[in-house]
Amino acid sequence: MIILVMGVSGSGKTTIGALLAATLHWQFQDADSFHPAANVAKMRRGMPLSDTDRLPWLLAMQQAIADWQQAGIHTILACSALKAEYRQRLCQAAPMKQVYLKGSFALVQQRLQQRQGHYMKADLLQSQFDTLEEPDDALVIDIDQSPEAIVAEIRKTLNI
């Protein structure tokens, strides 16, 4: 099984994904590690990525997902997956459960301002919300609760 934990930057994808993977003893992967260096450099300069920029990133993840599926490796993938077409592309490689970490702009902005050492700058948050196409086929989780409560809700709802 593969679970996609998605949402805007600062919604807690990495925190929740890593904690969920640890409790299940599954592999955890962060989509950030699939970005080509040019994308990371662009984001460090405060520039949002275009769909053209995202294509190699999506293709690399699509291949990894297919490989995990073929090898039978249960995986939690933390990925913004902001657009429906991105999620569709990722799900072409293997069926996935989707978990959408949803929060208000104000809450996520506060989290991003407190985060240090990450290339995604708080001033790019509006572009993330502008790009976001909320999924209609995902488990929607309100991020205004503890990571442990969120993981417990995911496990209970997905029965894992």
Side-chain angles (χ1 to χ4, degrees):
M1 177 186 288
I2 298 172
I3 298 175
L4 173 66
V5 178
M6 56 91 42
V8 297
S9 184
S11 61
K13 298 179 300 291
T14 300
T15 300
I16 300 305
L19 184 59
L20 180 59
T23 62
L24 295 171
H25 305 289
W26 289 12
Q27 170 180 247
F28 172 73
Q29 293 286 329
D30 194 310
D32 286 348
S33 66
F34 292 88
H35 272 298
N39 285 7
V40 174
K42 190 171 183 178
M43 288 183 283
R44 282 191 198 279
R45 292 190 307 270
M47 299 173 65
L49 298 178
S50 68
D51 284 346
T52 303
D53 295 326
R54 287 186 177 99
L55 185 58
W57 173 67
L58 290 165
L59 291 173
M61 282 188 292
Q62 191 179 37
Q63 182 59 57
I65 290 164
D67 293 346
W68 303 329
Q69 177 73 12
Q70 185 175 5
I73 300 171
H74 296 301
T75 303
I76 308 295
L77 174 62
C79 177
S80 56
L82 297 175
K83 289 187 176 183
E85 70 180 87
Y86 304 163
R87 295 186 295 274
Q88 290 168 356
R89 181 178 292 276
L90 296 176
C91 290
Q92 285 175 356
M96 284 191 252
K97 304 281 186 189
Q98 297 179 42
V99 176
Y100 169 39
L101 301 179
K102 183 175 182 172
S104 70
F105 182 90
L107 175 60
V108 176
Q109 184 177 43
Q110 177 186 23
R111 288 181 176 186
L112 281 177
Q113 289 169 341
Q114 294 171 348
R115 184 163 69 177
Q116 296 180 6
H118 194 276
Y119 58 79
M120 179 68 180
K121 305 298 181 204
D123 56 356
L124 288 177
L125 181 60
Q126 187 60 56
S127 73
Q128 293 251 309
F129 272 89
D130 291 346
T131 301
L132 177 65
E133 296 171 2
E134 292 189 328
D136 54 11
D137 56 349
L139 169 61
V140 180
I141 304 286
D142 184 348
I143 64 168
D144 195 13
Q145 53 187 323
S146 73
E148 294 78 15
I150 291 172
V151 167
E153 185 176 346
I154 292 168
R155 291 195 65 187
K156 180 180 178 187
T157 305
L158 296 182
N159 196 29
I160 52 172

